[in-house]
Amino acid sequence: MIRRLALVQHVLFGALVVIGVWRALATGAHPAALSGATALLLLWYAVGAHRAASGPGGAPHLSSVGTAPRRVGPGGWWFLGLVVCWLLTVAVSPELIWVAFSLWLLAAHLLPLRLGVAVSVLVLAVVVLRPWPGGLTVAEVVGPAVGMVFALALSRGQQLLVRDGLERERLVASLVAAQEESELLHAELAEAQRSAGVLAERTRLSRDIHDSLAQGFSSILLLARAGVATQDAEAGRRLLTQIETSAADGLEEARRVVGALAPAPLESGLVEALRRLVARVQEETGVAGEVRVEGDVAALPPVVEVALLRVAQSALANVRQHARAGQVVVTVAEVEDSVRLDVVDDGLGFDPATLTEAPDVARGGYGLRASRQRLRELGGGLDIESEPGGGTAVSASVPLARPGGAGGAGRS
């Protein structure tokens, strides 16, 4: 749009100069003087037009496009020079007053308001006071005055159009930049979500492998060591049967972990799964085991059942490997708006202060940390009470939502 306005301005200026020169030659103006003055006028205008075209946006003028200048800038001084060149052409031939209309159009763009009006009035005076054939009439005063006012108003409208065009271009550029930034942020967010998903899946798999497969391998290892140490053929066959059973269970659990299915022990409910775990520990180690149930725990959400089962598997694995206990009691109870699982043994015990938040997985201790993180995700927690020689109590709790209220895991 700006370039089109500039083109119209140039064409208009050139047309008015041609009309003035044609009339001047028709009225007997001196050709050499007219050619020199006209050439100077056109050359000066061409210099300004070239500088304006090479400026920001190819603007048609040398001032700040679309804004009224507050002081005389380079464009203003160029315009004053153009007025002087025009006065020289008018001195050669009054017929060049036709160029005054283009000067009025430029005055509002390139000069401060008051100075622009003053210069426009000066140009009007030159137009009005030129030698008119037959004397000066009212029409010959009012006509140029109306032309000046019209040109100044048209120039003001052109300024507003240019200003709106530049503002629109600025807004479009800002919108494009904002869209590019939004796309970049969206890509970064998608990458962060993907990384978080990968990390969460790795964490889930590490927990499942530790709480199921690793514990199964530990059981097989203990049974195999017991089989090596025994001299009784019957006891050896019994241990081999137990090893076979543990290996089959581990294989089935591995398939379920790979397929991201629910663990097999939960197909008949949490309580039955706990009883099977305790019975297996008693069969493999001789530790007397008992499962106690308090309250209604038969309709727990699957995610809660899985979490509590994993905690029990980890705690019973510690009993099997480290406690040297004579008895272990597993209690699952409904307490107000939560469910609690307690695993208590009368074994050797230990100092809980020795546990760290980042244990060495190769040396054990990962199970308690994984259990605590699993319960935190459900809004619950894990407490451990123990002392050397005083046994160990592991207590896990998970909040439950009630109908009509807010809560953690919720019932299904």
Side-chain angles (χ1 to χ4, degrees):
M1 181 184 68
I2 296 177
R3 295 184 182 276
R4 291 180 180 177
L5 292 176
L7 180 60
V8 171
Q9 175 69 45
H10 301 332
V11 172
L12 177 62
F13 184 85
L16 293 177
V17 170
V18 170
I19 292 174
V21 171
W22 176 73
R23 290 181 61 88
L25 292 175
T27 56
H30 192 279
L34 180 62
S35 298
T38 303
L40 178 62
L41 177 66
L42 292 176
L43 179 62
W44 187 258
Y45 185 86
V47 170
H50 175 72
R51 291 187 59 186
S54 61
H61 313 304
L62 299 178
S63 67
S64 299
V65 179
T67 59
R70 297 182 179 180
R71 59 184 179 84
V72 180
W77 290 112
W78 169 82
F79 174 74
L80 294 177
L82 184 66
V83 173
V84 172
C85 294
W86 172 75
L87 290 175
L88 291 177
T89 60
V90 172
V92 174
S93 174
E95 297 298 333
L96 268 299
I97 61 170
W98 293 92
V99 183
F101 189 80
S102 284
L103 299 180
W104 288 329
L105 287 175
L106 293 174
H109 284 293
L110 304 178
L111 295 176
L113 179 61
R114 293 181 180 180
L115 181 58
V117 173
V119 173
S120 297
V121 172
L122 175 62
V123 173
L124 176 64
V126 173
V127 173
V128 172
L129 296 178
R130 58 157 286 198
W132 292 91
L136 187 64
T137 63
V138 175
E140 291 168 343
V141 175
V142 174
V146 171
M148 180 192 72
V149 174
F150 175 76
L152 293 176
L154 182 63
S155 178
R156 178 59 178 171
Q158 183 182 1
Q159 279 187 330
L160 294 177
L161 288 176
V162 172
R163 182 187 307 169
D164 291 342
L166 293 178
E167 181 65 17
R168 187 178 299 108
E169 291 178 0
R170 186 188 67 81
L171 292 176
V172 170
S174 300
L175 180 61
V176 171
Q179 183 177 4
E180 292 177 352
E181 183 179 0
S182 176
E183 292 176 353
L184 179 61
L185 292 177
H186 181 74
E188 292 178 352
L189 178 61
E191 178 63 23
Q193 290 177 339
R194 188 194 68 81
S195 299
V198 170
L199 181 60
E201 184 64 13
R202 288 179 177 177
T203 302
R204 184 190 69 82
L205 288 175
S206 67
R207 292 173 183 172
D208 287 346
I209 290 174
H210 177 274
D211 294 339
S212 58
L213 300 181
Q215 305 305 339
F217 289 140
S218 297
S219 176
I220 293 174
L221 180 61
L222 291 177
L223 293 173
R225 288 174 178 173
V228 171
T230 185
Q231 300 296 327
D232 188 350
E234 182 63 26
R237 285 192 296 271
R238 186 168 56 252
L239 289 172
L240 287 175
T241 301
Q242 293 175 354
I243 290 175
E244 181 183 6
T245 301
S246 298
D249 292 342
L251 178 60
E252 181 66 19
E253 186 64 30
R255 290 171 177 170
R256 293 184 178 275
V257 169
V258 172
L261 300 176
L266 293 186
E267 293 177 354
S268 56
L270 175 62
V271 175
E272 290 301 319
L274 293 175
R275 287 172 177 164
R276 281 195 293 270
L277 286 176
V278 172
R280 182 177 300 173
V281 171
Q282 181 173 349
E283 181 181 1
E284 294 176 354
T285 64
V287 177
E290 180 182 359
V291 176
R292 299 175 183 175
V293 179
E294 300 176 4
D296 181 14
V297 294
L300 297 177
V303 65
V304 175
E305 289 186 333
V306 171
L308 295 179
L309 177 64
R310 296 310 189 195
V311 172
Q313 286 177 320
S314 180
L316 291 174
N318 289 331
V319 172
R320 179 191 293 111
Q321 297 177 34
H322 309 296
R324 298 182 185 177
Q327 183 180 18
V328 60
V329 177
V330 178
T331 303
V332 56
E334 184 181 33
V335 181
E336 296 181 353
D337 292 338
S338 64
V339 59
R340 190 185 74 245
L341 174 74
D342 297 327
V343 180
V344 182
D345 68 74
D346 59 356
L348 298 177
F350 66 99
D351 183 4
T354 60
L355 295 177
T356 63
E357 286 296 323
D360 185 354
V361 177
R363 298 183 179 180
Y366 178 81
L368 294 176
R369 176 191 175 205
S371 297
R372 181 174 283 110
Q373 290 178 345
R374 187 192 300 272
L375 294 171
R376 285 176 180 174
E377 293 176 0
L378 299 177
L382 182 70
D383 296 321
I384 301 174
E385 296 181 3
S386 183
E387 61 180 10
T392 302
V394 177
S395 179
S397 62
V398 179
L400 297 175
R402 294 303 182 186
R411 289 181 178 270
S412 59

